[in-house]
Amino acid sequence: MPKPGRDLLRLADSVILPGFVGTAPPDWLRRRLSEGLAGVVLFSRNITGPAQVAELTAALRAENPSALVGVDEESGEVTRLEVAKGSSRPGNYALGVVDDVALTEELARDLGRDLAAAGISIDFAPSADVNSNPGNPVIGLRAFGADPELVARHTRAFIRGMQATGVAACAKHFPGHGDTSVDSHHGVPVVAGEIEEHLRPFRAAIEEGVRSIMTGHLLVPRYDPSTPATLSPHVLTALLRDELGFEGVVITDGIEMAAVSGAYGVGGASAMAVTAGADAICVGGERSDEATAAEVRDAIALAVMEGRLPEERLAEAAGRVTGLGAWSAAARAAHAQAAREGDGRVEGEIGLIAARRAVKVTRRSSAPVLPITVAAQVVEFAPEMNLAIDKGTPWGVGEPLGKLLPGTTVARLTAEESRAAVLEDLLRSSADRPLVIVARDAHRYPWQAEAIGHLLSARGDAVVVEMGLPERSDLGAVHIATYGSARVCGQAAAEVITGTL
């Protein structure tokens, strides 16, 4: 078979959003952008600060003015722009706990302003998943909650706020990743039974005019018993396009994730996704080299030549991607002009305000445990997080508490380090000081529950702070739930502990 021509390769390139390494575009990426590559996805490895990102996006658009630049900036645990210091905004679950749609909209608008100023054209947020399974290993705090109607109204609010700044929102992970127990980075999650409740937030997002929707690598037997949603025309075309009426851009979750690439390879999965109805292929979280981007392009072009992918379908996808880039460029320019003229932005730390409002305190002792006014011992339990959360993202209560109570000491323990001997040493060294125990999804990790029980058996006066999903509030003399581990969530907890909030 002859090799694909330049025009076909260019068409295939116009639906690919690869990642890359470095804080400036490498030569291969500049070349591919000038030849028609759709754009890029930025990860924390590409980011050192807002000014640097603005320079980076300008350099990308010097090669392709309509290039889409996307980023996973959900706020809370999944942050890219603030990965070095932790997010200044809580994640979705905290917003759902507050349940003030005006607050959610303003926070998304505030975030959108920062993204627009950095030259970002699409934010892969919000998560519109209904987290109905408390044991979900990958969604959890990234969802607004477990109630479909609550998730739907906050999904709408987030989209309104984000898109008002000229940055496209992207509702994910269609058709709903909430009721799963497998991380699609590693395997294929199965969504059993009816999924109508999980579709409600996506219906709301479409009604709100969301510009893009990201697919989930999920097996949904109700619609397709054998092929993950990202690769299934029954899900992407029959359900999303025909039944739900979505006309915007369909973007895949990372195509290198094992749930889809494991069986078909990165290139094969990419071609299948476009055939099924996807418009843009996201790749580069785990494979970010030129060879991977070329593999995806060549596989899509080959599928056209072999008749597996109609060229009209590929052209339709390319047209949608180009249209999204044009919309964002015009909308961001209009927003920038409005900002120069004064757009009525409300000054203030909207993220910290939201985090403070989300905190829930359960007092279980009549003794005056709070406020703590002297240096404390903080013990933080650190589980292994899923790949969506950058391992280097700061979190915890110890650091902000230490600023309010100088002399506070912090011990952060992994599962391997949470041995009885280590815990006993900490109990001895803190016998004459207040003890603050910090957990992160303790209900999902038996080692955390065991370690917390060990400490509380000796120190019933301890304060327990849960920075994940608080399945229990009956731990410690005082239990504090932050519904998130973002920097501002730790700050809000420290303020409660010291009585400054």
Side-chain angles (χ1 to χ4, degrees):
M1 178 175 288
K3 293 183 178 179
R6 181 181 298 273
D7 289 345
L8 180 54
L9 290 174
R10 186 181 183 92
L11 186 62
D13 250 346
S14 66
V15 300
I16 304 171
L17 300 172
F20 62 96
V21 175
T23 55
D27 290 342
W28 72 264
L29 183 60
R30 290 180 180 272
R31 184 183 70 254
R32 292 287 292 276
L33 284 166
S34 69
E35 294 172 352
L37 187 69
V40 301
V41 179
L42 301 184
F43 295 88
S44 53
R45 62 176 178 248
N46 307 122
I47 294 169
T48 61
Q52 171 266 326
V53 176
E55 291 180 6
L56 171 58
T57 57
L60 295 169
R61 293 197 174 95
E63 305 297 338
N64 179 354
S66 64
L68 278 178
V69 181
V71 69
D72 263 319
E73 183 58 56
E74 299 177 16
S75 291
E77 285 64 36
V78 180
T79 181
R80 303 293 181 251
L81 291 188
E82 297 185 286
V83 67
K85 60 181 181 179
S87 180
S88 59
R89 304 171 184 92
N92 284 358
Y93 212 98
L95 295 173
V97 167
V98 177
D99 197 13
D100 179 344
V101 292
L103 178 68
T104 296
E105 182 174 346
E106 180 52 37
L107 185 141
R109 185 179 292 108
D110 187 66
L111 173 59
R113 292 184 184 108
D114 288 349
L115 294 172
I120 303 297
S121 43
I122 179 170
D123 184 17
F124 301 131
S127 166
D129 303 296
V130 179
N131 196 63
S132 56
N133 180 355
N136 194 312
V138 70
I139 301 301
L141 296 172
R142 300 166 68 191
F144 288 111
D147 173 53
E149 184 52 42
L150 178 145
V151 175
R153 61 178 173 266
H154 286 276
T155 294
R156 280 181 175 270
F158 192 101
I159 291 166
R160 283 196 301 273
M162 180 62 62
Q163 294 190 167
T165 69
V167 177
C170 182
K172 63 185 184 185
H173 306 79
F174 185 83
H177 208 316
D179 190 18
T180 60
S181 56
V182 174
D183 184 343
S184 52
H185 288 92
H186 307 298
V188 184
V190 177
V191 182
E194 296 295 328
I195 64 167
E196 182 55 39
E197 293 299 280
H198 293 271
L199 291 176
R200 287 173 67 183
F202 292 99
R203 292 182 186 274
I206 293 168
E207 291 170 1
E208 196 59 49
V210 70
R211 293 282 169 172
S212 64
I213 286 178
M214 178 175 282
T215 67
H217 303 326
L218 317 162
L219 193 65
V220 189
R222 168 73 174 77
Y223 289 91
D224 191 326
S226 60
T227 309
T230 295
L231 314 180
S232 172
H234 301 292
V235 176
L236 299 192
T237 299
L239 175 58
L240 182 55
R241 294 291 189 200
D242 298 341
E243 182 178 333
L244 301 188
F246 181 58
E247 297 179 352
V249 175
V250 176
I251 299 176
T252 72
D253 204 347
I255 205 71
E256 71 269 42
M257 291 162 66
V260 290
S261 68
Y264 306 102
V266 170
S270 298
M272 289 178 67
V274 178
T275 304
D279 301 308
I281 303 297
C282 231
V283 65
E286 300 167 60
R287 292 181 55 178
S288 52
D289 52 35
E290 180 180 8
T292 298
E295 179 183 348
V296 171
R297 176 199 63 192
D298 294 347
I300 292 172
L302 181 62
V304 173
M305 294 183 67
E306 292 180 346
R308 292 179 284 115
L309 168 58
E311 187 168 353
E312 296 78 9
R313 165 80 275 271
L314 180 58
E316 175 189 53
R320 286 202 183 102
V321 173
T322 300
L324 182 60
W327 172 84
S328 181
R332 281 183 292 111
H335 173 263
Q337 179 62 34
R340 286 190 292 270
E341 296 171 356
D343 63 355
R345 179 172 186 169
V346 177
E347 295 298 329
E349 300 178 55
I350 186 69
L352 183 55
I353 291 169
R356 287 167 173 163
R357 290 181 62 186
V359 171
K360 179 181 178 181
V361 179
T362 304
R363 289 177 171 81
R364 303 183 58 252
S365 171
S366 58
V369 177
L370 297 182
I372 292 175
T373 58
V374 298
Q377 170 67 59
V378 179
V379 181
E380 297 176 342
F381 294 113
E384 185 75 17
M385 304 309 295
N386 65 69
L387 289 177
I389 301 172
D390 192 287
K391 295 181 186 299
T393 307
W395 67 278
V397 175
E399 191 270 339
L401 189 61
K403 290 181 178 179
L404 296 173
L405 298 175
T408 290
T409 54
V410 185
R412 178 168 289 184
L413 306 178
T414 63
E416 294 74 21
E417 295 165 336
S418 298
R419 300 184 302 274
V422 174
L423 299 175
E424 285 297 321
D425 284 344
L426 286 168
L427 286 169
R428 280 192 292 271
S429 66
S430 62
D432 58 347
R433 290 187 290 159
L435 178 63
V436 178
I437 302 167
V438 183
R440 198 168 178 184
D441 277 344
H443 70 285
R444 290 184 48 232
Y445 299 96
W447 67 268
Q448 281 195 64
E450 183 177 343
I452 292 169
H454 187 127
L455 294 175
L456 291 178
S457 67
R459 291 292 301 271
D461 63 333
V463 174
V464 174
V465 182
E466 172 59 79
M467 303 195 82
L469 287 177
E471 285 295 290
R472 294 181 60 181
S473 60
D474 60 342
L475 299 171
V478 175
H479 185 275
I480 300 171
T482 62
Y483 299 96
S485 62
R487 172 167 53 90
V488 287
C489 298
Q491 177 66 36
E495 291 173 352
V496 168
I497 290 168
T498 57
T500 56
L501 174 57

